[in-house]
């Protein structure tokens, strides 16, 4: 069954490639043996760097299930998730992720995931990240925390 789901992810990637939407990245989200979300890379189509296949599939699954919690789902994707997509999968509570190509394979076809991993390891300088106006933002957090009935996700 897993092989069938990866085939759907690959098919989804081909849809995006053939329509010029973006790179060879397709993804499906599965729950109880059924595909409940799918997506392919739409960075070029939507002119949005966050529209990776995994992000599109997570958004689709959440929309279809009317939830932000995909804890009972599995993710199948054509390439190892980049840090953004991995973060989104973890925020969605997805516990099982299957990927086809690894980060070296992705690098070999021209994608630059490696600089993000180096940056996260403290080795790169692709962005200057600085704490700023912490006290003002702590006040915001304190105001938010006053409502004891809000739902934490």
């Amino acid at each position: 069954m897993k092989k069938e789901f990866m085939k759907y992810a690959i098919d989804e990637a081909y849809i995006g490639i053939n329509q010029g939407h973006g790179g060879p990245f397709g993804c499906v989200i599965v729950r109880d043996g059924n595909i409940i979300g799918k997506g392919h890379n739409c960075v070029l189509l939507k002119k949005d760097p966050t529209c990776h296949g995994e992000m599109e599939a997570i958004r689709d699954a959440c929309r279809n299930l009317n939830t932000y919690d995909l804890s009972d789902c599995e993710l199948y994707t054509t390439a190892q998730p980049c840090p953004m997509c991995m973060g989104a999968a973890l925020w969605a509570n997805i516990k099982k992720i299957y990927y086809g190509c690894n980060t070296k394979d992705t690098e070999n076809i021209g994608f630059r995931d490696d600089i993000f991993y180096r940056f996260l390891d403290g080795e790169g300088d692709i962005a200057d990240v600085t704490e700023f106006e912490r006290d003002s933002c702590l006040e915001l957090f304190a105001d938010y925390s006053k409502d004891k009935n809000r739902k934490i996700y």
Side-chain angles (χ1 to χ4, degrees):
M1 197 74 164
K2 290 180 179 128
K3 192 171 184 175
E4 179 182 327
F5 294 133
M6 186 59 80
K7 171 87 170 70
Y8 281 111
I10 292 167
D11 290 346
E12 187 66 27
Y14 273 116
I15 291 169
I17 292 169
N18 292 334
Q19 295 181 20
H21 293 172
F25 308 107
C27 181
V28 295
I29 309 289
V30 176
R31 183 174 82 172
D32 298 328
N34 297 304
I35 294 174
I36 50 93
K38 61 184 179 175
H40 59 265
N41 186 290
C42 290
V43 169
L44 299 177
L45 173 70
K46 296 182 179 179
K47 295 172 182 48
D48 181 341
T50 68
C51 291
H52 291 193
E54 297 92 340
M55 301 295 286
E56 295 292 293
I58 289 168
R59 290 173 181 136
D60 188 46
C62 289
R63 209 172 19 252
N64 290 334
L65 296 177
N66 194 33
T67 186
Y68 55 85
D69 183 4
L70 302 177
S71 58
D72 55 351
C73 297
E74 298 176 335
L75 185 148
Y76 293 79
T77 183
T78 57
Q80 187 172 347
C82 73
M84 174 185 67
C85 293
M86 182 58 76
L90 295 175
W91 277 115
N93 299 309
I94 297 172
K95 304 288 189 262
K96 188 63 184 172
I97 297 169
Y98 298 95
Y99 66 89
C101 295
N102 61 41
T103 56
K104 185 66 175 165
D105 300 324
T106 304
E107 182 180 335
N108 287 340
I109 63 167
F111 289 86
R112 58 191 175 107
D113 294 20
D114 187 55
I115 64 170
F116 299 103
Y117 292 107
R118 286 196 320 264
F119 178 76
L120 292 172
D121 286 339
E123 299 170 13
D125 62 353
I126 59 174
D128 180 7
V129 181
T130 305
E131 186 177 283
F132 180 71
E133 286 294 315
R134 181 170 181 256
D135 290 339
S136 299
C137 294
L138 282 172
E139 186 177 324
L140 165 70
F141 279 25
D143 289 343
Y144 174 80
S145 297
K146 289 177 186 174
D147 179 3
K148 301 302 179 196
N149 295 319
R150 83 191 157 295
K151 187 172 190 172
I152 299 293
Y153 49 92

